[in-house]
Amino acid sequence: METIFGRIVDVIYENDENNFKIVIVESEGCDVTVTGVMPEFEIGEFMKFVGKYVNHNIYGEQFSASEAFYSNPTEEDDILSYLASGIVKGIGESLAKRIVDYFGKDTLDIMENSPEKLLVINGIGKSKLKGIIESFEEKKNIKSLVMYLQKFGVSVNMASKIYKMYDQMAIDVIRANPYQLIDDIRGIGFKIADNIAVEMGLERDSYHRIRASVNYCLNGFISEGNTYSEYMNLISSVKKLIMVEEDKVEDVIRKMTVEGELFLEKFDEEMGVFPVHLYYQETFIMKKIIELNAYNFEDQIAKIKFDIDELQERKNIKLHENQILAVELALDNGVSIITGGPGTGKTTIIKCIIDIFESNGYKVVLCAPTGRAAKRMTEATMLESKTIHRLLEFSKFDEGYGGFSRNDENPIIGDVIIVDEVSMVDVTLMHYFLKAISYGTRVVFVGDSDQLPSVGPGNVLLDLLNSDIVSSMRLTEIFRQAAESMIIVNAHRVNEGKMPMANVKDKDFYFIESSRDEKVVEVIKGLIKKRLPEYYGLDPVKEIQILSPVKNSNLGTKNINTEIQSLINPSKNSMEIKSGDRVFRKNDKVMQIKNNYNIEWEDEKTGAKGDGIFNGDIGIIEEVNEEGLIIRFDETKLVDYEKNQLDELVHAYAITVHKSQGSEFKAVIIPAWDFPPMLMNRNILYTALTRAEELVVVVGKKNSLGRMIRNKLSNKRKTGLGSRLRKIME
């Protein structure tokens, strides 16, 4: 093995996923190409490499490094180059020269151990010295942390996040309890923390390890939409994960319950284990629904003046009997639900409810879970509709955390609040929403209970519908104008277990059969690139959406996104930025995959500013620069993303059906294939079809489509809300 030492002068290639880099190192007056896995550095830093010289058949002689270390320069010229590179904030070329001329080879030792001596240098005062010391110390500490964590497989970017959280205490915190990283650092999961713990020699059955395993397994159940896990399932999962005895897992669960981290509740013969926040959110929803429903509106109802015949004549509509009953439910009850598929008149009912209450002097407030759903509501009613987050006035606190300004002490101002697309609302958001509702305010929930439930935990709409506590109306009649759309007709056919009618001339629903998945991909590419833009005038990025039930496989979103990006937005030697296995370019269609309450946005049209981009929001990359990306959401909302935030984004030419909830697209393309059985169900296909406004194209195998339609079973979520509400009625 050989060793070389030198200054990094250029980076030819780097892979953020595994930290493999190709760099040019100035060593002993010569430039050497060095390859290997290396810690993060800045141009101008000095490093030591251990390895050997090899001859590449294309690139010639290179130094293949098996190890790479940070190393301080020792010669005066090298120290001068190091400081003059700008690595230490506050020191430029001229100041670096004065420092090195004065202290010579002792410069870095002085900066580390006796920095106050720098005050003798012209141009360095106390304020300047403070900044230099802080910058130099930060560089030194991050390097130490990176080297410490590198052996545990922790990336440099993650090490930087850890340092920002704990500062100089980082290594001490990790040594004391590596599982603390899971709670404090977004992106650190159980597997990384457990790897560190095992490498450190932590006992395999330690309390910290079992506790972290319990949380990890429980969070796995929660990520599938449940609000709790069955007790024995949780114990079995933990036992399988870390190979410990059941009684030790039970001991830890008991302790976590006593300490208020978990809550245990029995449903029939089943014991459920809840994260404590979800338990309290569900029980709050139950109590608030009962409270709102208990309000007596008799006096108000007697004073409200409306004539249903006059209303129909004035609005030039003819309401079905069930629609009239739905309107009356909203008048008579504190909480009511209107549910039904596309084309059944839910929007007409909303407009009638608004008309009646506003004409009698009541304030009506409209909202929906997503920006797109709120925008559609505004367009349909000609009244402002807000996202639930905006209605609750989300704001960021000084500490970097966020919260809702509207709550029980500062409720939403309104007499009637109508919530559209309520099937998307999870337990947590419903809890915050109801917390901001005053006693005596009517709440009207509108949604389609046959669509997929919320991405987050819970099945709130279905739990409320099945409780018999909340008055509800299910609409089934498809109205004449809606019946002209094969999309709507076929959505209802699918819901009834029937095959769709496709390829009817001059209609909006097509099926293209293909027996090979590679061919399906090629057909989809042809639709995106040529057929749909040319025949229908559709924008391939903004107006066509591919919806797949799965992420992986040849027909999953990951592969299709790669294929479509290469087709319509290939590399053009312009600026692009890499994050993991994804490359982001200007004009790429992207989606936020987790709620980020702290990221800031500015509305280009109004100048308004705010915080928060949420799971499922879709945007277009406006600009790629060295710092990160600028993305346009909702046509006018601009957001700056830094490099360390890019793991929150994926390409969105193709998205999963689950992520499409609450959105509508002019055209939808759906691959029909032999996907995993749990994703081959009617619920998913129905949801995908109802996302399309003007056109649906299904590509794939007819028998796969049939299997989805015949499979009415979907994963039943474990939730406590429905059980508690039903107990009230017993």
Side-chain angles (χ1 to χ4, degrees):
M1 287 289 181
E2 299 177 71
T3 300
I4 65 170
F5 168 82
R7 181 170 66 96
I8 308 291
V9 295
D10 198 7
V11 179
I12 305 301
Y13 170 82
E14 59 182 324
N15 185 328
D16 292 336
E17 192 75 12
N18 58 15
N19 292 324
F20 178 86
K21 299 179 179 67
I22 302 175
V23 300
I24 303 299
V25 177
E26 184 185 333
S27 178
E28 297 181 355
C30 299
D31 285 350
V32 180
T33 301
V34 180
T35 68
V37 175
M38 308 172 195
E40 192 74 2
F41 52 72
E42 295 181 48
I43 300 295
E45 288 204 77
F46 281 76
M47 297 192 75
K48 181 172 72 173
F49 301 95
V50 178
K52 62 181 179 179
Y53 283 97
V54 297
N55 272 305
H56 192 280
N57 58 354
I58 296 176
Y59 302 111
E61 188 177 63
Q62 298 178 338
F63 188 85
S64 177
S66 56
E67 295 180 274
F69 306 95
Y70 296 114
S71 184
N72 284 333
T74 56
E75 299 299 320
E76 287 189 24
D77 288 346
D78 290 340
I79 295 171
L80 177 59
S81 297
Y82 174 72
L83 292 179
S85 68
I87 281 175
V88 179
K89 291 179 182 177
I91 299 181
E93 280 189 46
S94 60
L95 183 55
K97 189 173 188 313
R98 292 200 297 275
I99 295 171
V100 176
D101 284 347
Y102 192 92
F103 293 110
K105 293 182 179 181
D106 296 329
T107 296
L108 296 182
D109 181 62
I110 293 292
M111 292 179 69
E112 184 170 349
N113 299 306
S114 307
E116 69 281 355
K117 292 182 179 180
L118 293 176
L119 289 169
V120 303
I121 304 297
N122 184 33
I124 298 182
K126 289 183 178 180
S127 177
K128 181 88 166 179
L129 177 64
K130 185 172 181 287
I132 290 172
I133 292 172
E134 288 176 353
S135 177
F136 189 76
E137 280 293 312
E138 182 178 5
K139 295 290 179 192
K140 185 181 73 173
N141 292 333
I142 289 178
K143 285 179 182 178
S144 298
L145 183 61
V146 166
M147 295 305 293
Y148 176 73
L149 292 174
Q150 197 173 24
K151 59 188 175 185
F152 304 128
V154 178
S155 71
V156 175
N157 287 341
M158 199 58 70
S160 297
K161 288 184 179 180
I162 293 170
Y163 180 78
K164 285 179 182 177
M165 171 61 70
Y166 303 124
D167 202 65
Q168 297 180 38
M169 298 298 294
I171 292 177
D172 291 338
V173 170
I174 294 167
R175 284 174 176 160
N177 177 16
Y179 299 103
Q180 186 66 37
L181 296 171
I182 301 171
D183 297 331
D184 296 343
I185 311 293
R186 188 165 65 184
I188 294 279
F190 172 80
K191 291 182 180 178
I192 292 177
D194 196 50
N195 184 44
I196 294 172
V198 170
E199 289 288 330
M200 286 171 49
L202 196 71
E203 291 292 330
R204 69 178 185 85
D205 58 355
S206 73
Y207 171 77
H208 288 313
R209 187 168 191 241
I210 297 176
R211 174 187 173 274
S213 303
V214 168
N215 282 327
Y216 175 72
C217 293
L218 183 55
N219 287 335
F221 289 115
I222 302 307
S223 70
E224 294 172 356
N226 305 296
T227 58
Y228 71 86
S229 164
E230 293 173 272
Y231 183 78
M232 292 311 299
N233 275 359
L234 180 59
I235 290 175
S236 176
S237 297
V238 174
K239 180 183 175 183
K240 184 178 178 181
L241 178 68
I242 59 172
M243 305 302 290
V244 293
E245 295 80 2
E246 284 187 12
D247 60 333
K248 292 187 176 180
V249 180
E250 291 190 85
D251 287 343
V252 171
I253 290 175
R254 276 194 290 270
K255 186 173 182 183
M256 292 174 72
T257 304
V258 170
E259 293 179 350
E261 290 185 71
L262 304 176
F263 196 96
L264 272 59
E265 183 175 6
K266 192 166 186 179
F267 302 106
D268 298 323
E269 300 303 314
E270 178 178 288
M271 179 66 77
V273 184
F274 288 82
V276 72
H277 71 285
L278 290 180
Y279 170 79
Y280 283 119
Q281 286 170 1
E282 276 196 338
T283 52
F284 176 86
I285 292 169
M286 176 194 70
K287 292 173 184 175
K288 191 63 180 266
I289 290 290
I290 293 168
E291 176 188 293
L292 293 173
N293 244 356
Y295 193 88
N296 189 334
F297 289 98
E298 286 183 7
D299 290 344
Q300 285 189 25
I301 293 167
K303 295 175 184 176
I304 291 177
K305 297 176 182 178
F306 84 99
D307 184 296
I308 199 71
D309 294 327
E310 184 275 331
L311 178 68
Q312 292 181 95
E313 185 177 343
R314 179 161 47 84
K315 288 190 165 292
N316 193 28
I317 56 173
K318 178 63 178 174
L319 296 177
H320 186 272
E321 180 184 351
N322 282 350
Q323 288 181 302
I324 295 172
L325 291 174
V327 172
E328 291 173 348
L329 283 182
L331 297 176
D332 296 344
N333 294 279
V335 182
S336 57
I337 299 174
I338 301 165
T339 184
T344 56
K346 297 190 297 293
T347 301
T348 299
I349 294 170
I350 290 173
K351 289 194 279 190
C352 289
I353 292 169
I354 292 169
D355 185 284
I356 293 167
F357 278 109
E358 287 197 332
S359 64
N360 281 275
Y362 291 92
K363 180 177 173 59
V364 180
V365 176
L366 308 180
C367 64
T370 66
R372 274 195 171 88
K375 185 179 179 183
R376 287 202 317 273
M377 204 177 186
T378 296
E379 291 167 350
T381 63
M382 304 303 292
L383 289 177
E384 182 186 23
S385 175
K386 299 179 179 180
T387 64
I388 297 175
H389 284 85
R390 189 171 161 222
L391 180 65
L392 295 177
E393 296 178 13
F394 176 85
S395 58
K396 188 168 68 176
F397 305 145
D398 292 340
E399 296 83 2
Y401 297 97
F404 296 112
S405 298
R406 294 289 178 181
N407 49 42
D408 48 355
E409 295 179 356
N410 182 30
I412 298 165
I413 306 301
D415 301 302
V416 182
I417 301 174
I418 303 175
V419 188
D420 200 10
E421 294 281 5
V422 76
S423 63
M424 292 184 62
V425 181
D426 62 19
V427 162
T428 299
L429 187 56
M430 182 61 76
H431 155 259
Y432 284 114
F433 170 74
L434 291 176
K435 197 173 182 181
I437 306 300
S438 298
Y439 184 55
T441 299
R442 290 177 174 86
V443 179
V444 182
F445 292 125
V446 183
D448 186 348
S449 60
D450 291 317
Q451 286 187 26
L452 291 169
S454 57
V455 174
N459 202 350
V460 178
L461 176 58
L462 208 57
D463 282 345
L464 294 180
L465 279 169
N466 293 338
S467 70
D468 294 327
I469 282 183
V470 180
S471 298
S472 63
M473 175 56 63
R474 181 178 292 275
L475 306 172
T476 56
E477 182 83 12
I478 305 176
F479 291 94
R480 183 179 59 80
Q481 188 174 357
E484 295 176 4
S485 166
M486 296 306 297
I487 297 173
I488 291 176
V489 169
N490 283 331
H492 286 273
R493 285 180 66 85
V494 165
N495 217 17
E496 294 164 4
K498 301 173 183 176
M499 286 290 284
M501 295 185 293
N503 304 335
V504 179
K505 188 178 178 182
D506 297 326
K507 290 295 184 179
D508 52 12
F509 194 104
Y510 295 90
F511 177 77
I512 302 173
E513 190 159 14
S514 182
S515 59
R516 292 188 301 113
D517 57 354
E518 298 92 343
K519 180 64 176 174
V520 174
V521 173
E522 291 306 312
V523 170
I524 291 173
K525 288 166 69 175
L527 289 166
I528 291 282
K529 182 70 173 179
K530 186 174 176 67
R531 293 169 69 179
L532 298 189
E534 288 185 3
Y535 192 81
Y536 292 95
L538 294 167
D539 184 305
V541 176
K542 296 179 181 177
E543 296 178 326
I544 304 173
Q545 185 61 58
I546 304 163
L547 300 180
S548 174
V550 300
K551 292 180 183 176
N552 299 312
S553 90
N554 205 26
L555 293 177
T557 57
K558 288 183 179 179
N559 182 59
I560 294 177
N561 274 321
T562 300
E563 294 280 351
I564 300 301
Q565 185 195 34
S566 298
L567 180 72
I568 64 176
N569 195 24
S571 178
K572 299 174 182 176
N573 296 321
S574 56
M575 187 72 184
E576 58 184 34
I577 194 166
K578 190 167 185 182
S579 175
D581 58 356
R582 298 182 291 276
V583 177
F584 295 108
R585 301 176 185 131
K586 183 178 179 180
N587 298 323
D588 268 341
K589 185 178 185 179
V590 294
M591 180 175 64
Q592 177 80 12
I593 57 172
K594 58 182 73 172
N595 290 338
N596 186 332
Y597 296 99
N598 295 321
I599 198 165
E600 298 175 349
W601 53 262
E602 180 173 355
D603 192 297
E604 184 182 50
K605 187 174 287 186
T606 65
K609 296 182 179 181
D611 305 305
I613 298 294
F614 304 105
N615 191 353
D617 286 353
I618 294 175
I620 306 292
I621 296 177
E622 190 89 352
E623 181 183 320
V624 180
N625 53 53
E626 292 183 358
E627 285 74 39
L629 307 173
I630 298 176
I631 300 177
R632 181 184 296 273
F633 291 94
D634 298 331
E635 297 181 6
T636 61
K637 191 187 292 182
L638 296 177
V639 184
D640 285 322
Y641 279 78
E642 297 177 3
K643 281 185 177 180
N644 63 3
Q645 296 171 311
L646 299 187
D647 60 349
E648 299 179 9
L649 296 169
V650 295
H651 291 96
Y653 302 105
I655 62 175
T656 62
V657 179
H658 283 83
K659 290 289 190 182
S660 72
Q661 292 168 262
S663 297
E664 281 190 352
F665 312 94
K666 283 196 173 181
V668 165
I669 301 172
I670 306 166
W673 204 252
D674 298 330
F675 297 120
M678 69 179 66
L679 298 173
M680 292 281 289
N681 66 62
R682 188 184 301 177
N683 202 210
I684 286 178
L685 180 59
Y686 174 80
T687 300
L689 297 183
T690 55
R691 300 306 89 207
E693 294 176 315
E694 299 177 5
L695 181 68
V696 167
V697 184
V698 181
V699 186
K701 296 195 289 190
K702 190 171 286 186
N703 59 358
S704 297
L705 186 63
R707 275 203 297 275
M708 290 186 82
I709 293 167
R710 289 191 297 274
N711 181 15
K712 194 176 180 181
L713 298 175
S714 57
N715 290 336
K716 187 178 179 183
R717 295 186 169 188
K718 298 286 184 183
T719 66
L721 177 60
S723 297
R724 296 190 196 98
L725 286 169
R726 285 191 292 274
K727 282 181 182 177
I728 298 294
M729 295 299 292
E730 291 174 357

